[in-house]
Amino acid sequence: MLLCHVTPAVVLRTWPFGESDKIVSFLTETHGKLTGIAKGAKRSRKRFANSLEPFSLVNLRFQDRAHSSLAFILAADLLLGFKNLITSLEKISFASYLVEITAGLIGEREENPLVFRHLKDGLMHLEKQPMSLTFLTAFELKLLRLAGYQPLLDSCRRCGKERATRWHFSPRDGGILCDSCSRLRREIFPLSAATLEFLTKLQEEESMASFERSPPSVMLKELRSAVIRFIEFHMEREIKSVAFLHQFSLGLVPSSK
C-alpha cells in the first residue's frame, strides 16, 4: 500500500490535463517542490474546491506513484487564499514573480523548508502590506541565500579589492568586480558605491520589511538590473513575469533575452 504524505504547500501553477484532470506544481514544506496529477479536479467541488488556485496555501495530501515522476494528489484543503492579493493586478504581478523565481531556483523534490517559509512569508506580506520594490529586492536576496546562490558583495571577485567609487556586478563571477577586472567580462552591470552599500545592507537584513523607503531611482535601476540578471543566470532562462511587473511601471528592467 502506498504511503500517504501530508504537508503544508503553496500552489505554484496549474495546467489542464485531459478533459477533467489538472497537473499542479506545489512548493511543500517537507518534500520540496513537487508536481502531481489531480484527478477530476476540473469537475470536483469537494476535494479541490477553490484550493488549486495559484498562490493558495493548502494542506496537501499526496501519494508517490510507481514508475512516474508525477505524484497522485489526493486532496488539497485550503488554509489561506490571500483574498486581498488576488483582487489586485499589481499584487498578482508581484506574487507571480515571487513564485516564478522561487520555483526556478529550487529543483524538484529538493527539500528546503526555509525556502517554503520564505515564500509563504512573502505572499503574506503582499496580502497585508503595500507593494515595494525594496521589499522585492529583499525577498530576492534572502531567497538567493537560502537556495545557496548568495552574491558576494564585500570585495572584487577577481583581485580582492575592497574599496572603489565604482563597481560592476558580474552574474558569472557571482558578485562585484572593480573597474580593472570588469574589462574581462562582457555582461556586467554598473553599481555606484552608494548602490552597493544599500544592496549590502539589504542583504544583511533578516527581515524583508526592514527597509520601508525605496532608494533614489538611479540606485534602484542599478540594483534591479543586477539582481534580475543574476537570478536569470542561475535559473538559466529569462523570468517571464518581469514583463508583467514592468507593465505597472515599477522600475523593473525587462529581460534582455
Side-chain angles (χ1 to χ4, degrees), residues 23 38 48 66 117 144 152 161 165 214:
I23 303 296
F48 304 114
R117 292 168 200 159
L144 286 166
L152 300 178
K161 186 176 182 178
T165 57
S214 294

Side-chain angles (χ1 to χ4, degrees), residues 43 47 70 75 82 95 118 154 156 161 180 205 238 246:
R43 298 174 180 173
R47 284 190 303 150
L70 286 177
F82 299 107
H118 183 53
D154 56 342
C156 176
K161 186 176 182 178
S180 297
E205 286 292 330
E238 65 179 299
H246 190 64

Side-chain angles (χ1 to χ4, degrees), residues 23 47 64 79 83 86 91 97 134 184 205 247:
I23 303 296
R47 284 190 303 150
D64 286 314
L79 299 176
K83 294 180 180 179
I86 62 176
K91 288 195 173 188
Y97 181 81
T134 307
L184 302 173
E205 286 292 330
Q247 291 178 13

Side-chain angles (χ1 to χ4, degrees), residues 175-195:
I176 56 173
L177 299 177
C178 66
D179 272 330
S180 297
C181 294
S182 69
R183 296 167 190 162
L184 302 173
R185 287 292 185 210
R186 297 182 63 181
E187 188 179 31
I188 54 175
F189 303 92
L191 293 177
S192 68
T195 301

Side-chain angles (χ1 to χ4, degrees), residues 183-229:
R183 296 167 190 162
L184 302 173
R185 287 292 185 210
R186 297 182 63 181
E187 188 179 31
I188 54 175
F189 303 92
L191 293 177
S192 68
T195 301
L196 179 60
E197 181 181 3
F198 181 84
L199 195 60
T200 301
K201 288 182 178 178
L202 200 58
Q203 181 168 262
E204 292 172 349
E205 286 292 330
E206 189 62 29
S207 171
M208 293 180 291
S210 296
F211 287 77
E212 295 296 333
R213 293 189 302 173
S214 294
S217 58
V218 174
M219 289 174 58
L220 191 60
K221 184 176 180 180
E222 285 186 341
L223 68 89
R224 293 304 308 150
S225 296
V227 174
I228 288 173
R229 298 296 183 263

Side-chain angles (χ1 to χ4, degrees), residues 90-241:
E90 290 87 349
K91 288 195 173 188
I92 288 173
S93 73
F94 265 67
S96 298
Y97 181 81
L98 301 191
V99 163
E100 183 179 359
I101 64 173
T102 302
L105 292 173
I106 299 297
E108 200 80 5
R109 297 300 180 102
E110 186 178 305
E111 183 180 343
N112 193 326
L114 294 179
V115 169
F116 166 79
R117 292 168 200 159
H118 183 53
L119 177 59
K120 182 182 73 172
D121 289 346
L123 294 173
M124 292 184 72
H125 181 91
L126 290 180
E127 173 75 0
K128 299 175 181 179
Q129 304 295 331
M131 295 176 299
S132 161
L133 283 177
T134 307
F135 153 74
L136 197 67
T137 307
F139 179 93
E140 293 165 326
L141 292 172
K142 186 171 181 179
L143 174 63
L144 286 166
R145 173 168 62 82
L146 295 176
Y149 299 117
Q150 178 170 289
L152 300 178
L153 305 174
D154 56 342
S155 61
C156 176
R157 295 290 289 143
R158 285 183 170 268
C159 71
K161 186 176 182 178
E162 295 182 356
R163 293 183 179 275
T165 57
R166 194 73 181 171
W167 295 95
H168 303 268
F169 188 88
S170 169
R172 185 170 296 278
D173 291 287
I176 56 173
L177 299 177
C178 66
D179 272 330
S180 297
C181 294
S182 69
R183 296 167 190 162
L184 302 173
R185 287 292 185 210
R186 297 182 63 181
E187 188 179 31
I188 54 175
F189 303 92
L191 293 177
S192 68
T195 301
L196 179 60
E197 181 181 3
F198 181 84
L199 195 60
T200 301
K201 288 182 178 178
L202 200 58
Q203 181 168 262
E204 292 172 349
E205 286 292 330
E206 189 62 29
S207 171
M208 293 180 291
S210 296
F211 287 77
E212 295 296 333
R213 293 189 302 173
S214 294
S217 58
V218 174
M219 289 174 58
L220 191 60
K221 184 176 180 180
E222 285 186 341
L223 68 89
R224 293 304 308 150
S225 296
V227 174
I228 288 173
R229 298 296 183 263
F230 187 59
I231 294 172
E232 288 185 329
F233 176 80
H234 286 291
M235 288 176 59
E236 299 183 342
R237 62 176 176 83
E238 65 179 299
I239 306 169
K240 296 179 180 178
S241 53

